[in-house]
Amino acid sequence: MSDVKASAPDEQTGYKRFELGRFSFSRDEYFVTVGWPARETQLSHTLPVDAFLKALMRDVAWGFFYGWVNFDAVLGTRNRYGKVELYAGRYNDSYHASGLDYMETFETAEILATFKAMLTDWTNAGFDPFAAPAETSTTVFGKKNGSNTAAIERNRETCRRMPGLPGDASLRSDENGYPINRAFADVEQDEPELHVEPGFENEVHAFNLFKYLSRSDVTWNPSIVSVCRNSLFCPTTEEHILPVIHGNDRVEWFIQVSDQITWQVSDKETGQPRARVVMKPGDVAAMPADIRHQGFSPKRAMLLVWENATPGLPEKYDSGELSPYPIEL
Amino acid sequence: MSAYTTVFGSLAHYEKGRVEIIQDKARHYAFSNIFEVASQAQPYEKTAVAKNLEYVVEVLRAEGRSDWFTAAHDEFAVVMDGHLELHLVKLDDPAAVVSPDAQGSVRLPGSPTGKKMGWIKLRRGHQALLPAGAAYQFIAEQPSVILLQTLQGPLTVEKWADICEA
């Protein structure tokens, strides 16, 4: 069990202050303040507490995901798969050029323990960091007021082969706590018609993926619904803003299943804008290995994220062995 | 009446989005649309719309009765438009048809030899397992669209310059 360095609750707000290496984290009624050493001084950075907790929630639930999870233009993490880099300003042109950025590497268990403790202490009753803004309360603001453990202990739902197969991940239904989301009330709920010969019950298998997605209780949190060696179909439902700016350490692909999402794409290293990708149903777009991206979804939408989990990919892209662009036109 | 309308695409109606370039090249995003690709493809032509090293996502225009296919690994089909039947046969000797380390699907020369596993009626939104070592055939009365998660193989068609924004 990793040690978490936390203060006693603040007398005014009720929230604890946390330290991780030479980083410090504190929150008040509206904001989170992050501190770090820079040259001979101490710098700090402020984020709205709701945005911070939504980003923190994804970083924890995703196990630091693939590559970079930027909380905003200054703060973020990079997954080194076993270790995690926590940085402030490293991927921001101004901070980095001025030598005011700071980065520290932690064992994954250590940073995860601190992040979970922060999430637990700072998430008030009634606030769900996974929910769309229209679906959760504003109790995130103000003084400490209870907790919401059930909401923050959800992880990515992953399958070994395909949900619904014996011994694999469960399908979603009213009975196991997954009602249809309000934005997908018109999505048909019928299941495929299976005619199975005896002895092949474990191999003749199909399910209604759109029904499954219509019952997702989270936003911007991909699940895994099929595993083809290291190729993973990771569909997700998206509403409002992706709470992080994801920097790729490999190529990933987006297939827009329903509705519309617009992506702002920036340079992974500098954050300079590179493109906007407007995706409508049926559109397919690569997200190259040298970019960071953030999505905007005005109505809850179904997105199929396609990932390649082949070990060692980040090193191959870093070294230039692999092109950041998947297709030569 | 639903408060929200969920918009899906189809062969009959799709509206393609776009890439707005600020400081980049459109070709880096290999932007296409599966319904546009399917509308311009031959029935059951396996056109790659996404590629990640040896892995691909293919689009198939399902129309009529397909040949029989098989692969040495699992594949997964998602119906994106229309409705169709999927028939499965457990091959008596899969290695005689496709090498165990082969990638992607291959076409069987005729009908498969093996036990019938069953069949599935699928429509838009349904996902089916195409198990390793099984032969599969699609039957679609009306043009439909399948998204196939697989590996690049001898039947994969790459025509990126035709389908992507450059």
Side-chain angles (χ1 to χ4, degrees):
Chain A
M1 182 75 179
S2 298
D3 289 334
V4 174
K5 292 181 182 173
S7 71
D10 181 83
E11 286 186 6
Q12 290 296 314
T13 66
Y15 298 110
K16 295 175 184 174
R17 179 180 187 278
F18 294 85
E19 290 183 3
L20 181 61
R22 298 180 71 189
F23 282 95
S24 64
F25 296 85
S26 60
R27 77 154 284 184
D28 54 35
E29 293 195 35
Y30 290 109
F31 302 107
V32 169
T33 302
V34 183
W36 68 91
R39 292 185 181 164
E40 306 302 317
T41 184
Q42 189 77 14
L43 285 185
S44 61
H45 178 63
T46 300
L47 301 90
V49 68
D50 53 339
F52 178 86
L53 290 176
K54 289 176 186 178
L56 188 66
M57 181 75 259
R58 269 73 183 182
D59 220 5
V60 167
W62 297 347
F64 302 98
F65 210 43
Y66 298 117
W68 288 256
V69 173
N70 295 286
F71 285 39
D72 66 1
V74 176
L75 183 74
T77 60
R78 180 183 184 184
N79 196 348
R80 291 295 198 173
Y81 307 97
K83 296 179 186 295
V84 175
E85 294 170 356
L86 175 62
Y87 54 81
R90 170 59 187 85
Y91 300 97
N92 179 297
D93 246 3
S94 298
Y95 281 93
H96 189 51
S98 305
L100 296 172
D101 58 317
Y102 181 68
M103 182 168 72
E104 203 169 330
T105 304
F106 301 96
E107 295 293 329
T108 298
E110 182 185 9
I111 186 170
L112 188 62
T114 300
F115 276 18
K116 280 184 173 177
M118 223 179 323
L119 195 58
T120 302
D121 189 63
W122 293 357
T123 302
N124 287 330
F127 178 68
D128 180 355
F130 266 133
E135 296 180 325
T136 192
S137 77
T138 57
T139 54
V140 64
F141 304 115
K143 299 180 190 302
K144 184 161 176 61
N145 176 20
S147 60
N148 194 357
T149 308
I152 63 177
E153 288 190 342
R154 289 175 293 198
N155 287 314
R156 291 182 74 191
E157 292 181 39
T158 61
C159 70
R160 286 192 293 277
R161 195 180 189 192
M162 182 167 157
L165 283 168
D168 212 324
S170 300
L171 298 175
R172 294 171 181 155
S173 65
D174 289 342
E175 289 70 33
N176 64 2
Y178 292 96
I180 305 168
N181 184 270
R182 79 201 195 290
F184 291 135
D186 59 345
V187 173
E188 293 182 71
Q189 300 289 307
D190 64 306
E191 290 291 352
E193 192 180 306
L194 274 69
H195 302 265
V196 187
E197 297 295 332
F200 294 107
E201 293 81 1
N202 293 350
E203 290 190 272
V204 179
H205 179 61
F207 75 107
N208 186 338
L209 173 65
F210 292 3
K211 170 186 174 184
Y212 181 85
L213 293 174
S214 74
R215 293 168 177 271
S216 171
D217 63 340
V218 292
T219 61
W220 308 101
N221 187 35
S223 49
I224 298 176
V225 298
S226 52
V227 179
C228 178
R229 295 188 180 166
N230 284 307
S231 156
L232 309 176
F233 266 10
C234 307
T236 167
T237 58
E238 321 293 48
E239 184 174 343
H240 192 232
I241 303 170
L242 174 59
V244 306
I245 309 164
H246 178 217
N248 289 12
D249 68 359
R250 64 197 69 204
V251 172
E252 63 180 355
W253 287 79
F254 293 158
I255 299 169
Q256 190 72 32
V257 175
S258 83
D259 306 291
Q260 178 174 325
I261 299 175
T262 299
W263 296 92
Q264 290 190 174
V265 181
S266 307
D267 187 84
K268 183 168 72 178
E269 185 72 20
T270 66
Q272 294 299 311
R274 285 173 51 166
R276 275 168 57 87
V277 183
V278 181
M279 298 192 68
K280 299 186 177 185
D283 286 346
V284 183
M287 289 288 126
D290 61 352
I291 60 99
R292 64 177 90 169
H293 55 266
Q294 185 170 37
F296 299 79
S297 181
K299 184 258 176 195
R300 205 175 189 96
M302 298 181 184
L303 174 71
L304 177 55
V305 179
W306 181 43
E307 297 283 2
N308 184 344
T310 301
L313 284 183
E315 293 77 11
K316 290 180 179 176
Y317 285 110
D318 266 359
S319 69
E321 180 184 339
L322 292 176
S323 165
Y325 312 115
I327 304 301
E328 291 296 328
L329 284 176
Chain B
M1 183 178 169
S2 173
Y4 293 94
T5 300
T6 302
V7 179
F8 294 103
S10 66
L11 282 168
H13 183 76
Y14 66 89
E15 186 183 346
K16 199 172 174 183
R18 63 192 182 278
V19 180
E20 299 172 0
I21 291 300
I22 301 163
Q23 197 167 35
D24 207 335
K25 294 181 172 61
R27 66 173 182 265
H28 291 163
Y29 299 88
F31 192 85
S32 68
N33 181 284
I34 63 171
F35 303 110
E36 184 176 73
V37 170
S39 69
Q40 296 169 2
Q42 295 299 311
Y44 299 107
E45 181 178 65
K46 298 188 168 194
T47 309
V49 292
K51 181 178 179 180
N52 204 327
L53 305 177
E54 69 267 41
Y55 299 104
V56 289
V57 178
E58 297 171 342
V59 164
L60 284 70
R61 174 190 176 95
E63 189 172 357
R65 184 181 295 263
S66 77
D67 292 329
W68 286 89
F69 301 102
T70 191
H73 47 77
D74 284 349
E75 298 175 289
F76 298 89
V78 180
V79 180
M80 300 298 289
D81 185 27
H83 51 87
L84 50 87
E85 291 178 8
L86 165 65
H87 292 257
L88 293 162
V89 170
K90 189 76 170 180
L91 292 170
D92 286 341
D93 185 7
V97 181
V98 58
S99 165
D101 57 357
Q103 299 184 345
S105 51
V106 298
R107 180 182 285 113
L108 272 67
S111 296
T113 304
K115 282 186 179 173
K116 285 186 179 177
M117 302 171 72
W119 65 280
I120 308 173
K121 208 169 184 177
L122 300 163
R123 65 157 199 82
R124 186 179 74 183
H126 294 173
Q127 175 181 319
L129 168 66
L130 310 176
Y136 60 88
Q137 182 186 49
F138 299 110
I139 302 172
E141 289 183 6
Q142 301 294 326
S144 302
V145 179
I146 299 168
L147 202 61
L148 191 70
Q149 180 189 16
T150 184
L151 278 77
Q152 184 167 7
L155 300 178
T156 305
V157 175
E158 291 190 273
K159 45 183 177 182
W160 301 105
D162 295 335
I163 67 171
C164 295
E165 287 187 20

